[in-house]
Amino acid sequence: MAVTIKDVAQRAGVSHPTVSRALRGDSSVTLETTTRIQQIARELGYIPSAAARSLKTNRTRVVGVLVHRVSDPFYSRVIDGIQDTLHPNAYSIFLASTNNDRTRQAEIIRAMTERRVDGLILCSMFITPEYFREIQARGASVILLHNRAAKITPFTLYHNDRYGARQMTRHLLELGHTRIAFLGNTRAGRESAERLKGFKQELDAAGMTPNPRYIVHAAFGQPPAAAEPIQALLALAEPPTALVCFNDSLAIGALQVLHNAGKRVPQDWSVTGFDNITIAEFMNPPLTTFDQPKYSLGAQAANLLLRLMESPGTDDSTWNIPSLRGEILVRGSTAPPPH
Amino acid sequence: MAVTIKDVAQRAGVSHPTVSRALRGDSSVTLETTTRIQQIARELGYIPSAAARSLKTNRTRVVGVLVHRVSDPFYSRVIDGIQDTLHPNAYSIFLASTNNDRTRQAEIIRAMTERRVDGLILCSMFITPEYFREIQARGASVILLHNRAAKITPFTLYHNDRYGARQMTRHLLELGHTRIAFLGNTRAGRESAERLKGFKQELDAAGMTPNPRYIVHAAFGQPPAAAEPIQALLALAEPPTALVCFNDSLAIGALQVLHNAGKRVPQDWSVTGFDNITIAEFMNPPLTTFDQPKYSLGAQAANLLLRLMESPGTDDSTWNIPSLRGEILVRGSTAPPPH
DNA sequence: TAGTATCTTGCACACGTGTTCATCCCCTAA
DNA sequence: TTAGGGGATGAACACGTGTGCAAGATACTA
């Protein structure tokens, strides 16, 4: 069908191994022959078959990336970072989204295994240790990003949830707030639990005991999910004056609910987000949030994976796993409490 | 290295073609043998090699998707639609972003050609007719999405820019506005030009002549790019009272600039977006916009591509290309003009 | 001039799968 | 009993590329 290496060989009057070597820049081929073969290959529009090459070399130069949803504003930035790092290294990316569906995740990993990806970046919550080991046994390098069970492998990159939550809480304490609420995300599991833990720790450190009524949870991590828990907070006899949200999307949902209830942010309520998604600074008011280095996170994960794929088998924890802390960004959605 | 079809064959005491047939459910193999082979394959953890299969069948069941940036809130929803349509059909997706860089786009398409993708969904502006034909000549089915030069192939899905812009403009006219501005996006090329055309047409239809000073352009399509042109509008002796933006992101940028300038939306200025990205309804005020069926757009493109890949060679324009219109969503960012 | 070292190239095989065709076996009908 | 037929399986080859090894050509040295 398509033009193969043999076509080029025939046209050049050489054997196909010579063409193979010439195009790969093997120095054992005469410079003259090399340039002639390259010329002919270009004329014929020869493009080698990755499938055939992979079959022989046992490497695909493909990396699989798994997220729960591509349109998630957090992960889409992570993917940008992965893309920009892997592309210059001539790797292609299989991207798939699980939709938080275990069955679908299994199908995807199966497909990626059939395709013999060299590496895998998994941003899923559903990776068990056994699962991880099975994938690894098949020869693929694996990086976990943001995983619930962070102890499966040393090759896990995750932001410091507890640290971030403490930063946000401290900021509100420093502004003078005493009635501070926390809005978690049920679906985020460990991640949400960690941030709640940080929230409580910081209150403890300030000598305050967290009010259990101020700890509420959204069913998932998108703006509409904020409505119900925020209504509950508003209905309290003594509502809070500040709110630490699990992420920016929920904070944005909270802003809207508060606005509709006639509450002004930040005069009546202070609200903080988490992640610093692109849109956060363009909200009205601009969102005070914890800036996660999303792009860098993706880039670092990709870099780590590249190193791992180059030197497989070194499962030592002697590796220097970068840890990305992030930082607080104070914007317009927080202020001292009223009166 | 990995367990191959021959290992399964040996273990089952049959030849490898029998295993191949059994696992593909060929009826010529005894039911008994089939179940036994399947059992053994499962025990051994046999997973066929896509590379070897592709080499033989000349099909990869892989589709390449090209966008300018994954984190773009418009395309990331399109990708969701593509994903959810292709996954159940056992196709995998190569995702790559061009960053609006022609060289990088060429590298990506080259890589996808090496990988022998069965199909391609291109959301790029840089596809010339010759380029398109060359890709097609290599046997891949191609769908264009949102392309500047819509006439290259019948297999182009694009939303009706002109129609949408007319809708938005009419809405503002009906509210009583007479001083209406248009904020375009230089980088979007034809797309922006079409929307501007629709804007002008609707004004014409209302017997009004567009004021050239009210037509401004942003350098790119993200919120920060709105600052400069909006400042220019504010500096006019007689500034507009309404603004039709190229997309939601620019409208969001405009909202912030107006807010900082002490203008209230919608009391002083009405602002409209375009696309209805996820965040639009959670802005303050919620954005009046033109809802593009992004997810459906992706799903339709994928469906069309599936049909095209199943029956290659039929280049007829007898195909029924779906046309997706979209609809206006009136929310809080528009109101009658002041006084 | 012959022998040897070096450089260039081709032959043959392998990677893992699917497919065509031939073969073998068993069953049935004459 | 034998011929014929149909069903199950195996042998051989092909897909396009990379690689080890041998062979041929050339240059250099003794």
Side-chain angles (χ1 to χ4, degrees):
Chain A
M1 198 66 173
V3 36
T4 81
I5 197 173
K6 289 181 185 170
D7 299 325
V8 179
Q10 189 179 1
R11 178 77 166 272
V14 296
S15 71
H16 85 266
T18 303
V19 176
S20 173
R21 286 188 266 257
L23 294 182
R24 296 177 63 80
D26 191 315
S27 63
S28 72
V29 181
T30 311
L31 183 62
E32 181 201 338
T33 329
T34 300
T35 53
R36 188 165 52 94
I37 287 176
Q38 286 175 339
Q39 168 68 17
I40 291 176
R42 208 173 311 121
E43 283 173 15
L44 263 50
Y46 167 68
I47 293 187
S49 157
R53 175 179 296 162
S54 298
L55 195 56
K56 192 61 187 153
T57 62
N58 219 19
R59 304 241 3 226
T60 53
R61 289 195 93 80
V62 174
V63 166
V65 176
L66 205 60
V67 297
H68 75 274
R69 189 96 275 217
V70 178
S71 59
D72 181 295
F74 183 93
Y75 287 110
S76 63
R77 271 306 277 168
V78 173
I79 297 172
D80 281 343
I82 296 175
Q83 279 270 349
D84 292 352
T85 306
L86 291 184
H87 175 75
N89 288 281
Y91 277 84
S92 294
I93 294 178
F94 274 133
L95 184 66
S97 57
T98 64
N99 290 6
N100 283 313
D101 178 340
R102 288 185 139 83
T103 308
R104 179 153 161 178
Q105 172 179 301
E107 292 165 354
I108 291 168
I109 292 188
R110 157 90 191 198
M112 297 206 172
T113 310
E114 288 196 6
R115 313 220 123 106
R116 303 289 193 265
V117 293
D118 291 338
L120 222 35
I121 297 180
L122 302 176
C123 308
S124 169
M125 302 187 336
F126 301 138
I127 308 295
T128 63
E130 308 80 52
Y131 211 0
F132 173 77
R133 249 174 282 281
E134 192 196 324
I135 299 171
Q136 214 179 28
R138 298 200 180 269
S141 307
V142 188
I143 301 269
L144 299 186
L145 206 67
H146 216 202
N147 187 257
R148 184 177 45 181
K151 295 300 174 236
I152 295 182
T153 161
F155 303 108
T156 303
L157 279 177
Y158 59 107
H159 41 70
N160 202 324
D161 292 304
R162 211 177 300 182
Y163 172 79
R166 291 193 70 154
Q167 294 287 105
M168 304 317 292
T169 311
R170 180 178 310 168
H171 167 62
L172 293 170
L173 287 169
E174 285 172 355
L175 285 172
H177 289 274
T178 53
R179 310 210 304 266
I180 310 180
F182 179 87
L183 171 58
N185 172 8
T186 305
R187 191 174 285 173
R190 186 195 73 94
E191 212 179 327
S192 185
E194 283 291 304
R195 293 184 191 176
L196 175 56
K197 207 170 285 181
F199 171 76
K200 287 179 175 171
Q201 283 180 352
E202 193 62 28
L203 287 184
D204 278 347
M208 298 171 56
T209 47
N211 181 342
R213 295 195 172 179
Y214 286 173
I215 295 174
V216 291
H217 287 276
F220 52 99
Q222 297 302 310
E228 194 184 315
I230 299 297
Q231 302 285 9
L233 289 176
L234 284 167
L236 290 177
E238 193 179 49
T241 61
L243 175 65
V244 173
C245 294
F246 170 76
N247 67 8
D248 287 345
S249 292
L250 286 172
I252 288 168
L255 284 184
Q256 190 169 61
V257 176
L258 291 172
H259 179 78
N260 292 343
K263 303 293 179 189
R264 294 167 305 161
V265 175
Q267 294 87 342
D268 302 329
W269 280 57
S270 286
V271 175
T272 68
F274 211 104
D275 290 351
N276 190 28
I277 62 178
T278 307
I279 211 68
E281 67 174 302
F282 297 102
M283 296 306 296
N284 181 14
L287 211 55
T288 292
T289 190
F290 186 74
D291 180 38
Q292 305 249 36
K294 299 164 287 300
Y295 184 91
S296 303
L297 200 62
Q300 295 278 12
N303 273 318
L304 192 56
L305 186 60
L306 284 173
R307 283 166 54 201
L308 211 49
M309 291 187 301
E310 299 302 327
S311 55
T314 49
D315 281 77
D316 300 329
S317 46
T318 60
W319 287 65
N320 182 22
I321 311 293
S323 121
L324 304 168
R325 277 220 140 175
E327 57 178 356
I328 183 171
L329 292 177
V330 177
R331 291 199 277 237
S333 67
T334 50
H339 64 74
Chain B
M1 198 68 172
V3 36
T4 81
I5 198 173
K6 288 181 185 171
D7 299 325
V8 179
Q10 189 179 0
R11 178 76 166 271
V14 296
S15 70
H16 84 266
T18 303
V19 176
S20 173
R21 287 187 268 257
L23 294 182
R24 296 177 62 81
D26 191 314
S27 62
S28 72
V29 181
T30 312
L31 182 63
E32 183 202 338
T33 331
T34 300
T35 53
R36 188 165 52 94
I37 288 176
Q38 285 174 340
Q39 168 69 15
I40 291 176
R42 208 174 310 122
E43 283 173 14
L44 263 50
Y46 168 68
I47 293 187
S49 156
R53 176 178 296 160
S54 298
L55 195 55
K56 193 60 187 155
T57 62
N58 219 18
R59 304 239 4 223
T60 54
R61 289 196 91 82
V62 174
V63 166
V65 176
L66 205 61
V67 297
H68 76 273
R69 189 95 274 217
V70 178
S71 60
D72 181 295
F74 183 94
Y75 287 111
S76 64
R77 271 307 277 169
V78 173
I79 296 172
D80 280 343
I82 296 175
Q83 280 270 349
D84 291 352
T85 307
L86 291 184
H87 176 75
N89 289 281
Y91 277 84
S92 294
I93 294 178
F94 273 134
L95 184 65
S97 57
T98 64
N99 289 7
N100 283 312
D101 178 340
R102 287 185 140 85
T103 307
R104 179 154 160 177
Q105 171 179 303
E107 291 164 355
I108 291 167
I109 293 190
R110 157 90 191 199
M112 297 207 171
T113 310
E114 287 195 7
R115 312 303 198 191
R116 303 288 193 264
V117 294
D118 291 339
L120 223 35
I121 296 179
L122 302 177
C123 308
S124 168
M125 301 187 337
F126 301 138
I127 308 295
T128 63
E130 307 81 52
Y131 210 1
F132 172 79
R133 247 175 285 282
E134 191 196 324
I135 299 171
Q136 213 179 28
R138 297 197 180 271
S141 307
V142 187
I143 301 269
L144 299 187
L145 206 66
H146 216 205
N147 186 258
R148 184 178 45 182
K151 296 300 174 237
I152 295 180
T153 160
F155 302 109
T156 303
L157 279 176
Y158 60 107
H159 40 70
N160 203 323
D161 292 303
R162 211 177 299 184
Y163 171 79
R166 291 194 70 154
Q167 294 288 103
M168 303 317 292
T169 311
R170 180 178 310 168
H171 168 62
L172 292 171
L173 287 169
E174 284 171 358
L175 284 172
H177 288 273
T178 53
R179 310 209 305 265
I180 309 179
F182 179 87
L183 172 57
N185 173 9
T186 305
R187 191 174 285 172
R190 187 195 72 92
E191 212 179 326
S192 185
E194 283 291 303
R195 293 183 192 175
L196 176 56
K197 208 170 284 180
F199 171 76
K200 287 180 174 170
Q201 282 181 353
E202 193 62 30
L203 288 184
D204 277 348
M208 298 171 57
T209 46
N211 180 343
R213 296 193 173 182
Y214 285 173
I215 296 173
V216 291
H217 288 275
F220 52 98
Q222 297 302 309
E228 193 183 316
I230 299 297
Q231 301 284 10
L233 289 176
L234 284 167
L236 290 177
E238 191 180 51
T241 61
L243 174 65
V244 173
C245 294
F246 170 77
N247 66 7
D248 287 344
S249 292
L250 285 172
I252 289 168
L255 284 184
Q256 190 169 60
V257 176
L258 290 171
H259 179 78
N260 291 343
K263 303 295 179 187
R264 293 168 305 161
V265 176
Q267 293 87 342
D268 302 329
W269 280 56
S270 285
V271 174
T272 68
F274 211 104
D275 290 349
N276 190 29
I277 62 178
T278 307
I279 211 68
E281 67 173 303
F282 297 100
M283 295 306 296
N284 181 16
L287 212 54
T288 294
T289 191
F290 186 74
D291 181 38
Q292 304 248 38
K294 299 165 285 301
Y295 185 91
S296 303
L297 199 62
Q300 295 278 11
N303 273 318
L304 191 55
L305 186 60
L306 284 172
R307 282 166 56 201
L308 210 49
M309 291 186 302
E310 298 302 328
S311 54
T314 49
D315 281 76
D316 298 330
S317 45
T318 61
W319 286 65
N320 182 21
I321 310 294
S323 122
L324 304 168
R325 277 220 139 177
E327 57 177 355
I328 184 172
L329 291 178
V330 177
R331 292 198 278 237
S333 67
T334 50
H339 63 75

